[in-house]
Amino acid sequence: MPETIRITPIGGLGEVGKNMTLFEMGRDAIIVDTGIMFPANDMFGVDYIIPDFRQITERDDLKIHGVLYTHGHEDHIGAVTHVIEQWPGLHLYGTKLTMGLIEGKLREANLIGKTQLHVFEAGDTLEVGPFTAESFHVCHSIPGCVGFAINTPYGLVVHTGDYKFDNTPVDGKLPDYARLAEFSKRGVKLLMADSTNAEVPGWTSSETVIDAAFDRVFREAKSRIIVATFASLISRVQQVVEAAKKYNRKIAFAGHSMKRNVDMALELGILDVPKDMIVDLGDIDSLPPRKVTIMATGSQGEPSAVLSRMASGRHKIEVQEDDTIIVSSHPIPGNEETVSRIINDLLRRGADVVYDPVEQVHVSGHGKQEDMRMMLNLTRPENLLPIHGELRMLKAHRKLAVESGMPEKNVFVVENGTVIEISQRGIRVGERLPGGYVFVDGHGVGDVGRAVLRDREILSQDGFVILVVDVDRRNHKLLGNPEIISRGFVYLREANELLNKIDGTVKGTVKKANGNSRRALQESLEDNVAQLLYSETRRRPMIFSVVNER
Amino acid sequence: MPETIRITPIGGLGEVGKNMTLFEMGRDAIIVDTGIMFPANDMFGVDYIIPDFRQITERDDLKIHGVLYTHGHEDHIGAVTHVIEQWPGLHLYGTKLTMGLIEGKLREANLIGKTQLHVFEAGDTLEVGPFTAESFHVCHSIPGCVGFAINTPYGLVVHTGDYKFDNTPVDGKLPDYARLAEFSKRGVKLLMADSTNAEVPGWTSSETVIDAAFDRVFREAKSRIIVATFASLISRVQQVVEAAKKYNRKIAFAGHSMKRNVDMALELGILDVPKDMIVDLGDIDSLPPRKVTIMATGSQGEPSAVLSRMASGRHKIEVQEDDTIIVSSHPIPGNEETVSRIINDLLRRGADVVYDPVEQVHVSGHGKQEDMRMMLNLTRPENLLPIHGELRMLKAHRKLAVESGMPEKNVFVVENGTVIEISQRGIRVGERLPGGYVFVDGHGVGDVGRAVLRDREILSQDGFVILVVDVDRRNHKLLGNPEIISRGFVYLREANELLNKIDGTVKGTVKKANGNSRRALQESLEDNVAQLLYSETRRRPMIFSVVNER
């Protein structure tokens, strides 16, 4: 009897299957993607989030044969160094650009010798352990994107990766319609499809609509042009290069990841820039402003990236009157406020700032409702597992599939950690695995949990107050004046009245305690001062007391 | 010679003129609106922001004759209690609903006797001191909205308030086209016009398009219907009441501000609900779920409001399978992430959640580009001062006006605090006043400044560590083990290794110091432990040391 196939999206946050998916067939397994998630605004101090893959590492019964990558965006490859630390020697598979980006990460983490990298071309069939995965080209907002059709005894499991149907892609590589249609003939047991734009009607525009907007902006720009976009968006870099070439401008690259990726893409032949067009960022001032284009990082408002530093005057590229700055991306949810503030700051410095919707200088890389219907109609799956999206989008994807004629019971809206089982008896929702996501903060992986985050939240709201009190161990009287340390609460130098009241409360508390245990005195100091501060200020700073008996 | 007219938008954050505008004519002045701003996500612990009106209060030469209110939204009336505390006895002017909302605020702050309230009707001409202000009705997303045409010797200054051209308003009160056209005949020297949607093409939809969406949702709902919207959106409440009436449902109101505003609006006759339709929230469980509608607060994701507490299971309204929850608002910029999380949480609890764009259950209250062109063409102003919007929107408004034929030099894009002067010689940009905005945190008005916010930010990222060290005053040796207090840094119970290293560093530092001053020892303790923690964790918690000599 053939084995049961188990499919498990690993990770948390309801973004189902975006970051890491485990495919099991008996004792054998492969993984698709190992991405990171970006922290929400209230996950204070967290740099990024990785899926909690302990549930895989702790299973001795499982043999992982390799990781198959759909494309090179951070939310699909970003956790690769954590994965390789866990499973040295693991085989990784991706297209040229994807593997170039992964190689860069592994090299920076000194892990390059610890793994085996395999480059394939879209359309190749990969034999990984007992798995046969047929890759197929899809269009998205980075070159070299694929999906996978994984063969099982019960039919194909098709994983779309991130996709849109772009009929005029920048690199000329069309969506592999023929392959998708062919899958439908062979029988698709399960379609796992991107749901990001399931709430948005219509079709997603082609990347090439941006060319027209770039052309207009380049034609009219009076001085330097600075374009900020994702460092991995190599096809956008190519579009900017073409516009710069046409209008006889040189190009410089700013920002560590932008330079690293451009170098890598040039080396791999994915990016085509005439050698004499590229100038060093240090040399742009020797050129007439009308001859300068700069590509920069920071389009998501990352505080340490180029755009944000330019906006606040902390970068060597000083914004000048008449500079044209193109923000060629859409803010990822949660970044809207920061990106908007940067646009305002750049305008305030006199630049002309161009962004969608003022000009269509960016389009989504994810298919909208009509793209999704197209994917369903091309592959004609028996079952659908909406992936890549928050619960609201997965449900919208289900609604759309049901409207297109798929029985509701054949659509599986599940959260990360839920196992989908395919066997002779059909397909069903299996167990829910424990675990969720792991916070990475600096060097720390997983040492920041809910409790620490809650403390950070309290501190961020009202700060803290520390009382240092010396008490005479014989007569229990206060020695000297209490020392008060506080940050993030009020501006103490202007809070004399409040300080006097704290002083009074401390003195009263010590007097009343009169020989209680040190611990009890600490507690009543903290309680009484907390009460005082709340009634005076309606704030609840964290309060600690240090009692020294002398 | 007639006086110079000075117009100054007070406040900060680039939202020009949204919150408070000062009109001066010689020694006489009036104010339009006294609103609050909402804090950005990185203004930790700040409840709200008020314009810094010290620049007005400190001027002895000025006689403020009154405040004219355009409408009752928080960003236009919210600072009223702060204003009245500053200027007891000030006269306030607004339409019925606006004054009802203001009265509620003054009553809660025990300020009701300290001021004089004047209710007027849209279309009335107000004589306030030497000023003649002609009010005119505009449509927005709250009833009772007006703009003002202020007479000056140089022509009219028309302030639109927040507006859109709604040709089928819920309350039947059309925009006052005739009046606007008449102003154009008399000569509009300056138009001050809402810029919020200046980046968005097309017309803003009428509030009544929501009726069709409500009807569809009410017809299909299988169980209870819960509608969340702004507590001040009385016309939306009326729309829900009409839908509930049609489908034979009762209605309950949840949330303090919702109940307060509904009671007030019923009393004033602005809201019309049959007495027997209203049920108490405590009684809904005795009704069949198909007979229940609940209107609730919290559509912006405010953590203490009803919707957010329902989503996290902290409210007495328990979300049930088959409940239909309508989120009848758009998230204000910065709230997108929180609102989205609430929608996901409600879906996770089994509710059917309806929101724009899934159904058109909310429309913007601000005119888009075509509304703005219409306003320009109706009033035909000589000059334009774009107001109500971030700098990016003000500039988009300028672009639109210039495209519509206005000379660029006649459009004034300025930031808050900038004086616009109108005199015999024409109109010009005057001085920039100091001051900006004032943070309100609990009871504290202005005691939280940049420094405290910066500390809160650091604490929110990496927390703090406090070292309490006892040293023998004679031989300078460490007594006992150092005590370590920390919050928001790492989970200390699982950080034994790190604690040992801190211990070691403290001991080494004390040894090396060997009798340095207490202050010097503190500094080297803090420096050395900071260095240790950064190299171990790549984090920078705040570090304090307390050295006790015994």
Side-chain angles (χ1 to χ4, degrees):
Chain A
M1 196 185 79
E3 310 265 15
T4 298
I5 311 291
R6 286 161 53 95
I7 301 170
T8 315
I10 309 293
L13 284 181
E15 279 258 12
V16 175
K18 183 146 195 136
N19 309 103
M20 189 169 185
T21 306
L22 177 71
F23 290 83
E24 296 172 66
M25 193 156 57
R27 302 170 59 91
D28 300 296
I30 53 173
I31 288 167
V32 171
D33 290 342
T34 59
I36 56 168
M37 287 155 277
F38 302 105
N41 280 324
D42 60 356
M43 295 178 183
F44 295 116
V46 173
D47 297 331
Y48 58 91
I49 302 161
I50 60 174
D52 182 1
F53 41 71
R54 274 175 305 187
Q55 49 190 275
I56 312 178
T57 50
E58 283 167 5
R59 283 177 55 188
D60 300 332
D61 61 318
L62 215 57
K63 165 96 184 108
I64 310 277
H65 293 278
V67 183
L68 280 52
Y69 286 99
T70 59
H71 64 287
H73 278 154
E74 284 298 311
D75 48 345
H76 294 260
I77 67 168
V80 64
T81 54
H82 298 276
V83 167
I84 294 304
E85 274 170 5
Q86 202 60 236
W87 288 291
L90 198 61
H91 292 248
L92 309 181
Y93 301 80
T95 60
K96 201 156 62 171
L97 176 60
T98 308
M99 292 321 277
L101 291 163
I102 286 176
E103 213 180 315
K105 282 183 183 298
L106 293 171
R107 184 160 290 130
E108 289 200 346
N110 281 321
L111 289 168
I112 195 73
K114 299 239 161 138
T115 174
Q116 306 201 39
L117 307 181
H118 305 271
V119 174
F120 67 83
E121 283 191 34
D124 286 355
T125 295
L126 310 175
E127 306 285 352
V128 184
F131 291 88
T132 301
E134 302 173 47
S135 70
F136 55 93
H137 179 68
V138 293
C139 297
H140 180 47
S141 48
I142 182 173
C145 287
V146 296
F148 297 105
I150 296 165
N151 288 262
T152 82
Y154 316 105
L156 294 170
V157 174
V158 176
H159 185 300
T160 65
D162 285 354
Y163 78 94
K164 65 178 174 182
F165 287 107
D166 188 338
N167 286 312
T168 49
V170 173
D171 59 7
K173 291 183 180 158
L174 293 168
D176 198 343
Y177 293 110
R179 203 67 181 273
L180 292 168
E182 191 227 325
F183 293 153
S184 78
K185 277 200 203 149
R186 285 159 57 192
V188 175
K189 185 71 179 176
L190 178 68
L191 175 68
M192 302 170 63
D194 182 7
S195 312
T196 309
N197 276 335
E199 295 171 348
V200 191
W203 292 93
T204 298
S205 300
S206 167
E207 291 288 309
T208 44
V209 304
I210 297 166
D211 286 339
F214 276 179
D215 194 74
R216 211 158 32 239
V217 176
F218 271 72
R219 194 171 55 232
E220 288 171 11
K222 297 185 213 102
S223 181
R224 304 186 304 182
I225 296 175
I226 299 154
V227 185
T229 192
F230 300 100
S232 63
L233 193 30
I234 299 298
S235 53
R236 192 64 45 83
V237 177
Q238 188 71 57
Q239 288 176 291
V240 174
V241 166
E242 297 306 324
K245 206 192 285 175
K246 177 168 173 193
Y247 290 98
N248 207 13
R249 285 175 182 260
K250 306 278 183 191
I251 193 161
F253 298 96
H256 172 69
S257 55
M258 179 66 77
K259 280 187 281 194
R260 186 183 71 187
N261 290 350
V262 164
D263 285 348
M264 180 268 296
L266 285 169
E267 200 170 303
L268 295 176
I270 297 164
L271 185 65
D272 178 25
V273 194
K275 266 245 153 62
D276 63 347
M277 259 187 83
I278 301 179
V279 293
D280 200 82
L281 195 60
D283 298 334
I284 53 167
D285 288 343
S286 63
L287 293 170
R290 295 189 68 115
K291 295 284 169 205
V292 174
T293 318
I294 302 167
M295 288 226 62
T297 55
S299 61
Q300 288 300 319
E302 307 90 326
S304 58
V306 178
L307 196 68
S308 152
R309 285 159 61 206
M310 280 170 55
S312 57
R314 293 176 293 117
H315 194 274
K316 62 182 163 189
I317 310 176
E318 270 179 64
V319 179
Q320 287 158 19
E321 198 87 24
D322 288 334
D323 277 349
T324 299
I325 301 176
I326 303 176
V327 183
S328 186
S329 78
H330 291 154
I332 291 169
N335 293 351
E336 295 89 346
E337 197 176 76
T338 316
V339 172
S340 194
R341 189 186 304 169
I342 287 175
I343 290 173
N344 287 327
D345 288 344
L346 294 169
L347 287 168
R348 200 166 284 127
R349 288 172 185 270
D352 189 12
V353 187
V354 180
Y355 49 92
D356 191 50
V358 169
E359 284 275 3
Q360 199 169 11
V361 289
H362 186 69
V363 294
S364 175
H366 298 274
K368 296 180 185 166
Q369 290 179 348
E370 295 308 317
D371 299 73
M372 290 179 188
R373 284 190 225 281
M374 181 74 154
M375 183 58 86
L376 285 165
N377 293 344
L378 279 168
T379 56
R380 303 179 68 87
E382 188 185 322
N383 300 286
L384 173 68
L385 176 63
I387 57 170
H388 301 185
E390 300 166 30
L391 195 52
R392 52 188 278 185
M393 296 149 196
L394 306 179
K395 294 214 172 189
H397 200 170
R398 172 168 68 189
K399 190 171 166 226
L400 178 150
V402 170
E403 281 168 7
S404 302
M406 184 173 274
E408 192 157 346
K409 67 174 180 42
N410 292 23
V411 187
F412 298 88
V413 171
V414 299
E415 302 228 48
N416 275 338
T418 308
V419 182
I420 300 289
E421 290 182 354
I422 310 178
S423 70
Q424 227 157 5
R425 280 161 303 172
I427 183 165
R428 69 178 200 96
V429 176
E431 65 192 311
R432 178 85 191 266
L433 300 177
Y437 36 85
V438 174
F439 296 135
V440 180
D441 175 4
H443 278 178
V445 179
D447 65 340
V448 167
R450 289 281 158 208
V452 172
L453 284 188
R454 205 166 38 242
D455 286 346
R456 287 182 182 173
E457 185 175 358
I458 295 169
L459 289 167
S460 79
Q461 295 299 302
D462 293 322
F464 70 86
V465 174
I466 295 165
L467 314 163
V468 184
V469 176
D470 291 352
V471 176
D472 190 311
R473 69 168 72 241
R474 289 151 311 184
N475 61 16
H476 316 301
K477 286 207 171 131
L478 194 67
L479 293 169
N481 280 321
E483 188 181 345
I484 299 165
I485 305 170
S486 164
R487 288 293 185 285
F489 169 50
V490 292
Y491 191 53
L492 279 187
R493 285 193 201 164
E494 292 179 358
N496 263 326
E497 201 188 327
L498 191 61
L499 283 176
N500 287 339
K501 285 184 181 165
I502 298 176
D503 234 61
T505 301
V506 169
K507 283 175 181 157
T509 307
V510 173
K511 205 167 190 177
K512 220 168 155 191
N514 188 27
N516 280 354
S517 76
R518 192 169 153 220
R519 180 98 206 102
L521 175 57
Q522 274 180 332
E523 272 176 27
S524 37
L525 279 170
E526 289 166 13
D527 288 350
N528 294 349
V529 172
Q531 217 162 20
L532 168 76
L533 296 183
Y534 184 71
S535 90
E536 289 290 320
T537 66
R538 285 286 177 277
R539 297 178 204 166
R540 299 187 189 280
M542 283 192 171
I543 300 177
F544 304 89
S545 63
V546 178
V547 174
N548 305 307
E549 294 178 332
R550 315 184 146 218
Chain B
M1 195 185 80
E3 309 265 15
T4 298
I5 310 291
R6 287 162 51 95
I7 301 170
T8 316
I10 309 293
L13 283 180
E15 281 256 12
V16 174
K18 183 148 195 134
N19 309 101
M20 189 170 185
T21 307
L22 177 71
F23 291 82
E24 296 171 66
M25 192 156 59
R27 303 171 59 90
D28 300 296
I30 53 171
I31 289 168
V32 172
D33 290 342
T34 59
I36 56 168
M37 286 155 278
F38 302 104
N41 280 323
D42 59 357
M43 295 178 183
F44 296 116
V46 173
D47 297 330
Y48 58 92
I49 303 160
I50 59 174
D52 181 1
F53 42 71
R54 274 175 304 188
Q55 49 189 274
I56 311 177
T57 50
E58 284 167 2
R59 283 178 55 188
D60 300 330
D61 62 318
L62 217 56
K63 164 94 185 113
I64 311 279
H65 295 277
V67 183
L68 281 51
Y69 287 99
T70 59
H71 64 288
H73 279 154
E74 284 298 311
D75 48 345
H76 294 261
I77 67 167
V80 64
T81 55
H82 299 276
V83 168
I84 295 304
E85 273 170 4
Q86 203 60 240
W87 287 291
L90 198 59
H91 292 248
L92 310 181
Y93 301 81
T95 58
K96 202 158 60 171
L97 176 60
T98 308
M99 292 320 277
L101 291 163
I102 286 176
E103 214 180 315
K105 282 184 183 298
L106 293 170
R107 185 160 290 131
E108 287 200 346
N110 280 321
L111 289 167
I112 196 71
K114 300 238 163 144
T115 174
Q116 307 201 39
L117 307 181
H118 306 270
V119 173
F120 66 85
E121 281 190 36
D124 286 355
T125 295
L126 310 175
E127 305 285 352
V128 184
F131 292 88
T132 302
E134 303 171 47
S135 70
F136 54 94
H137 180 67
V138 294
C139 298
H140 180 47
S141 49
I142 182 172
C145 287
V146 296
F148 296 104
I150 296 165
N151 288 263
T152 83
Y154 317 105
L156 294 170
V157 173
V158 176
H159 185 300
T160 65
D162 286 354
Y163 78 96
K164 65 177 175 183
F165 287 107
D166 189 337
N167 286 312
T168 49
V170 173
D171 59 5
K173 290 182 181 161
L174 292 167
D176 198 344
Y177 294 109
R179 202 69 181 271
L180 292 168
E182 189 227 327
F183 294 153
S184 78
K185 275 199 205 151
R186 286 159 56 191
V188 175
K189 186 71 178 177
L190 177 68
L191 175 68
M192 301 170 62
D194 182 7
S195 312
T196 309
N197 275 334
E199 295 172 349
V200 190
W203 291 93
T204 297
S205 301
S206 167
E207 292 287 310
T208 45
V209 305
I210 297 167
D211 285 340
F214 276 179
D215 194 74
R216 211 159 31 240
V217 175
F218 272 71
R219 194 170 54 233
E220 289 171 11
K222 296 185 215 100
S223 182
R224 303 187 304 182
I225 296 175
I226 299 153
V227 185
T229 193
F230 300 100
S232 63
L233 193 29
I234 299 298
S235 53
R236 192 65 44 83
V237 177
Q238 188 71 57
Q239 288 176 290
V240 174
V241 166
E242 297 307 323
K245 205 191 289 176
K246 178 169 173 193
Y247 291 98
N248 207 14
R249 285 175 182 259
K250 306 279 183 191
I251 192 161
F253 298 98
H256 172 68
S257 55
M258 180 65 77
K259 280 187 282 195
R260 187 184 69 186
N261 290 351
V262 164
D263 285 346
M264 182 267 295
L266 285 170
E267 200 170 304
L268 294 177
I270 297 165
L271 184 66
D272 178 24
V273 194
K275 266 246 153 63
D276 63 346
M277 260 188 81
I278 302 180
V279 292
D280 200 81
L281 195 60
D283 297 334
I284 52 167
D285 289 343
S286 63
L287 292 170
R290 294 188 69 114
K291 295 283 170 208
V292 174
T293 318
I294 302 167
M295 288 226 62
T297 54
S299 62
Q300 288 300 319
E302 306 91 326
S304 59
V306 179
L307 196 67
S308 152
R309 283 159 62 205
M310 280 171 54
S312 56
R314 294 176 293 117
H315 194 275
K316 61 182 166 190
I317 310 177
E318 271 180 63
V319 180
Q320 287 157 20
E321 198 87 23
D322 288 334
D323 276 351
T324 299
I325 302 175
I326 303 176
V327 183
S328 186
S329 78
H330 292 152
I332 290 169
N335 293 351
E336 295 89 346
E337 199 176 75
T338 315
V339 172
S340 194
R341 190 186 303 168
I342 287 174
I343 290 174
N344 287 326
D345 288 343
L346 294 169
L347 287 168
R348 201 166 283 127
R349 289 173 184 270
D352 188 13
V353 187
V354 180
Y355 49 92
D356 192 48
V358 168
E359 285 275 3
Q360 199 168 11
V361 289
H362 186 69
V363 294
S364 175
H366 299 273
K368 296 182 184 165
Q369 290 179 349
E370 295 308 316
D371 299 73
M372 291 180 186
R373 283 189 226 281
M374 181 73 152
M375 183 58 86
L376 286 165
N377 293 344
L378 278 168
T379 57
R380 303 180 67 87
E382 188 185 322
N383 300 286
L384 172 67
L385 177 63
I387 57 170
H388 300 186
E390 301 166 30
L391 195 51
R392 52 188 280 186
M393 297 149 196
L394 306 179
K395 293 215 172 187
H397 200 170
R398 172 168 67 190
K399 191 171 165 224
L400 178 150
V402 171
E403 282 167 7
S404 302
M406 184 173 274
E408 190 156 348
K409 67 172 182 41
N410 291 23
V411 186
F412 298 88
V413 172
V414 300
E415 303 227 50
N416 276 337
T418 309
V419 182
I420 300 289
E421 290 181 353
I422 310 178
S423 70
Q424 226 157 6
R425 280 160 303 171
I427 184 164
R428 69 176 200 97
V429 176
E431 65 191 312
R432 178 85 190 266
L433 301 178
Y437 36 85
V438 174
F439 297 135
V440 180
D441 175 4
H443 277 178
V445 179
D447 66 340
V448 167
R450 289 278 156 212
V452 171
L453 285 188
R454 204 165 39 243
D455 287 345
R456 287 182 183 173
E457 185 175 359
I458 295 169
L459 289 168
S460 79
Q461 294 298 303
D462 294 320
F464 70 85
V465 174
I466 295 166
L467 313 163
V468 184
V469 176
D470 290 352
V471 176
D472 191 311
R473 70 168 71 244
R474 289 152 312 184
N475 61 16
H476 316 300
K477 285 204 172 131
L478 194 67
L479 293 168
N481 280 321
E483 188 181 345
I484 299 165
I485 304 170
S486 164
R487 289 294 185 283
F489 170 50
V490 292
Y491 191 51
L492 278 187
R493 284 193 202 164
E494 291 178 359
N496 263 325
E497 200 188 330
L498 191 62
L499 284 176
N500 287 338
K501 285 185 182 165
I502 299 176
D503 233 61
T505 301
V506 169
K507 282 175 181 156
T509 307
V510 173
K511 203 165 190 177
K512 218 168 154 193
N514 189 26
N516 280 353
S517 77
R518 193 169 152 220
R519 180 97 206 104
L521 175 57
Q522 275 180 333
E523 271 176 26
S524 36
L525 279 171
E526 289 166 13
D527 288 351
N528 294 349
V529 172
Q531 219 161 20
L532 168 77
L533 296 183
Y534 184 70
S535 89
E536 290 290 320
T537 66
R538 285 285 178 278
R539 297 179 204 165
R540 299 187 189 280
M542 284 192 170
I543 300 176
F544 304 90
S545 63
V546 178
V547 174
N548 305 308
E549 295 178 334
R550 315 181 147 223

